[in-house]
Amino acid sequence: MAEDTVTVIDNRTGKRVELPIRKATQGPDAVDIGKFYRETGYFTYDPGFLSTASCHSQLTYLDGQKGMLMYRGYPIDQLAEKSHFIEVAYLMLYGELPQQQELDDFRNIIMHHTMLNESLKSFFRGFYHDAHPMAIMVGVVGSLSAFYHDSTDINNPRHREIAAHRMIAKMPSIAAASYKHSVGEPQVYPDNSLSYTGNLLNMMFSVPCEPFVLNPVAEKALDLIFILHIDHEQNASTSTVRLAGSSGANPFACVASGIAALWGPAHGGANEAVLNMLDEIADVANVPKFLARAKDKHDPFRLMGFGHRVYKNYDPRARIIRSMCHEVLAQLGDANDPRFELALRLEEIALSDDYFIERKLYPNVDFYSGLIYSALGIPTNMFTVMFAIARTVGWVAQWMEMISEDNQRIGRPRQLYVGPTQRDYVPIKERPLTPPG
Ligand code: CMC
């Protein structure tokens, strides 16, 4: 028997099938089931991808048991402490930390693609004033391919790179324009002399009638949050981007599909849901009632910002963001913000509750990010948009990695069909009446 294989025995027929094991550099190796159907006639079944690796990747590694996250091998806490968003974006796209000249050039490229085509502005005016900014993002990002079709040849590596730069550069401009539309203020042009996050804050909060003073604490806090959100291996939105991209769709369309997937409350929409939940709980006295609801299987309510498919330990991003939350609230927000108090109390109670302990449900990154956004003056419905800006780096890096593979194929999951077997069409007058109920 070959050493690096797994043998599967079909108890129905006694047939043995040897499946090769693909080696990981870190974390679990994977059994290659590519030939499984051909050799056995069975599909494998794994809804929600609990055990299935959908691809191989060199970008991000996370160990859920240890609560560990690395980008290109660098631990997230080192990057959060020592690096900055643009440098980490470079690392993700190109695989190595840049030399000074490479970093300067990259920053220059990103900051000189920040403007939006003027015609794109009319798109924003088409949305009703109370449109959710994520709805605007999905639409506007999807439309980028109509404006920048000179970079949509996915078989051309240079086109792929230009499209990646454009998306990373323009996402803050689109996000800020969505916000400005919702508050009825004029769009603000990017200022390329500012940092990535400084420019975003300027586009969101400056108005033509008075000077805007950029707060360095806010700029730095946002940069850190963005680093933490850049990538998280094959989550729902990233997998969506990869699946859309596997069909040969243009990168702007792929990222738009990722934004749509991110919006759900089980994924990126959780940061918005956390704040709504804290507002709903309103008082520490109500925490037991909401905890009871979260534990009740007949109640759809879940404790938002708790739990993760992979982390069965404290989310390392939540640990970093938690300490930053104190700093930001002390300097910018209302240090006595009752929601922060409430969040700390909720965390304390949940972490000592058997239900959460047994299921290893720890606070995730979204539990604290919303409180920081809130202290920065960012409205709740913009939280997931902030996530999308940062995650764009991960999406385009993952997309580029996939497209540049030699044997890249369209993603096409199988299914376990459990519907009716073949039956003949019955004319309408001859159809039996279905008994009610
Ligand atoms: N509150 C109460 N119970 C929970 C929660 C929660 N937040 N999360 C999981 N559970 C329970 C769940 O009911 C199940 O219990 P049982 O075994 O008795 O049936 C058990 O824990 C396992 O949960 P699961 O639904 O099988 O876990 P999953 O891996 O499918 O879901 C999750 C992961 C993140 C969707 C889920 O934990 C959740 O809905 N959390 C709240 C939403 C949230 O904070 N999402 C942000 C995730 S981090 C950022 C991102 O990736 O976008």
Side-chain angles (χ1 to χ4, degrees):
M1 194 188 307
E3 207 173 283
D4 283 344
T5 59
V6 160
T7 305
V8 176
I9 303 171
D10 182 348
N11 289 330
R12 286 174 173 175
T13 61
K15 184 175 176 183
R16 298 165 73 91
V17 181
E18 287 211 357
L19 299 168
I21 296 173
R22 302 257 169 233
K23 285 275 178 210
T25 50
Q26 202 161 354
D29 296 334
V31 180
D32 185 340
I33 54 168
K35 293 178 183 153
F36 192 70
Y37 170 59
R38 204 167 64 215
E39 300 212 355
T40 65
Y42 295 119
F43 293 148
T44 54
Y45 179 66
D46 184 18
F49 295 93
L50 297 181
S51 306
T52 302
S54 60
C55 62
H56 56 85
S57 179
Q58 301 180 3
L59 288 160
T60 296
Y61 174 73
L62 61 111
D63 183 326
Q65 299 300 332
K66 292 188 187 142
M68 173 195 208
L69 171 64
M70 299 188 306
Y71 295 158
R72 300 275 193 188
Y74 294 100
I76 192 66
D77 45 327
Q78 288 184 24
L79 294 172
E81 190 194 331
K82 298 178 180 160
S83 189
H84 53 86
F85 179 75
I86 287 289
E87 185 178 61
V88 183
Y90 182 99
L91 171 70
M92 294 307 276
L93 291 190
Y94 299 105
E96 297 298 335
L97 287 168
Q99 297 295 330
Q100 188 62 52
Q101 191 57 52
E102 290 168 327
L103 179 62
D104 293 346
D105 291 347
F106 181 65
R107 185 192 175 282
N108 207 30
I109 288 168
I110 296 300
M111 295 314 292
H112 283 86
H113 276 99
T114 50
M115 293 234 305
L116 300 177
N117 187 301
E118 283 294 299
S119 309
L120 208 66
K121 284 189 171 178
S122 54
F123 276 49
F124 292 92
R125 283 195 288 275
F127 286 97
Y128 206 56
H129 72 275
D130 60 357
H132 196 290
M134 281 298 277
I136 301 180
M137 287 285 275
V138 174
V140 174
V141 173
S143 79
L144 290 179
S145 57
F147 292 89
Y148 304 107
H149 35 74
D150 57 334
S151 61
T152 53
D153 177 1
I154 61 157
N155 299 313
N156 182 331
R158 180 66 188 129
H159 276 214
R160 298 202 290 261
E161 189 180 30
I162 295 170
H165 292 163
R166 278 182 167 147
M167 270 182 284
I168 295 169
K170 292 183 198 304
M171 212 54 92
S173 310
I174 295 171
S178 311
Y179 171 66
K180 285 298 195 189
H181 178 73
S182 70
V183 290
E185 289 178 7
Q187 287 181 22
V188 175
Y189 282 108
D191 178 344
N192 295 347
S193 68
L194 296 175
S195 70
Y196 190 81
T197 51
N199 177 46
L200 170 62
L201 289 167
N202 183 52
M203 287 189 291
M204 281 185 75
F205 296 121
S206 68
V207 286
C209 41
E210 55 189 63
F212 174 73
V213 182
L214 188 59
N215 186 317
V217 176
E219 188 181 6
K220 187 168 173 290
L222 208 50
D223 193 272
L224 176 78
I225 297 187
F226 278 9
I227 292 175
L228 300 181
H229 282 89
I230 280 182
D231 197 40
H232 214 224
E233 50 127 287
Q234 307 311 317
N235 54 80
S237 59
T238 302
S239 300
T240 302
V241 170
R242 277 186 176 258
L243 193 58
S246 76
S247 74
N250 74 69
F252 302 104
C254 296
V255 168
S257 70
I259 297 173
L262 183 75
W263 195 1
H267 192 9
N271 53 17
E272 182 175 340
V274 169
L275 261 267
N276 292 336
M277 177 187 76
L278 292 177
D279 286 339
E280 203 188 337
I281 299 177
D283 194 288
V284 174
N286 296 327
V287 168
K289 190 173 81 192
F290 280 87
L291 277 183
R293 284 189 59 195
K295 294 191 269 185
D296 180 355
K297 291 288 158 229
H298 303 294
D299 189 329
F301 176 79
R302 280 191 165 198
L303 217 51
M304 300 313 288
F306 271 77
H308 197 274
R309 169 61 60 78
V310 185
Y311 292 124
K312 300 303 167 200
N313 199 327
Y314 216 99
D315 178 341
R317 304 167 300 171
R319 207 184 291 282
I320 296 168
I321 222 168
R322 185 180 191 268
S323 57
M324 192 233 240
C325 203
H326 287 276
E327 202 183 311
V328 169
L329 288 183
Q331 295 197 45
L332 284 180
D334 175 1
N336 301 315
D337 185 342
R339 293 178 302 189
F340 188 51
E341 290 270 348
L342 190 54
L344 289 180
R345 190 78 186 109
L346 190 61
E347 180 192 14
E348 191 185 316
I349 298 174
L351 289 180
S352 57
D353 187 294
D354 282 349
Y355 174 94
F356 289 86
I357 295 169
E358 279 161 19
R359 290 168 181 76
K360 298 191 164 79
L361 299 171
Y362 293 86
N364 57 51
V365 67
D366 289 327
F367 191 65
Y368 288 104
S369 62
L371 289 162
I372 298 179
Y373 290 143
S374 195
L376 301 185
I378 295 168
T380 312
N381 66 0
M382 282 293 288
F383 291 0
T384 315
V385 169
M386 295 291 131
F387 192 157
I389 296 174
R391 186 54 60 86
T392 296
V393 171
W395 290 330
V396 297
Q398 298 264 358
W399 173 81
M400 285 169 84
E401 181 178 64
M402 179 192 71
I403 296 287
S404 53
E405 275 167 16
D406 291 340
N407 56 352
Q408 189 261 317
R409 315 171 80 168
I410 187 166
R412 207 304 186 180
R414 299 293 197 161
Q415 65 167 14
L416 176 65
Y417 177 70
V418 292
T421 51
Q422 184 174 337
R423 49 187 174 163
D424 291 325
Y425 181 84
V426 182
I428 196 158
K429 289 192 177 131
E430 293 168 30
R431 287 174 206 167
L433 286 176
T434 325

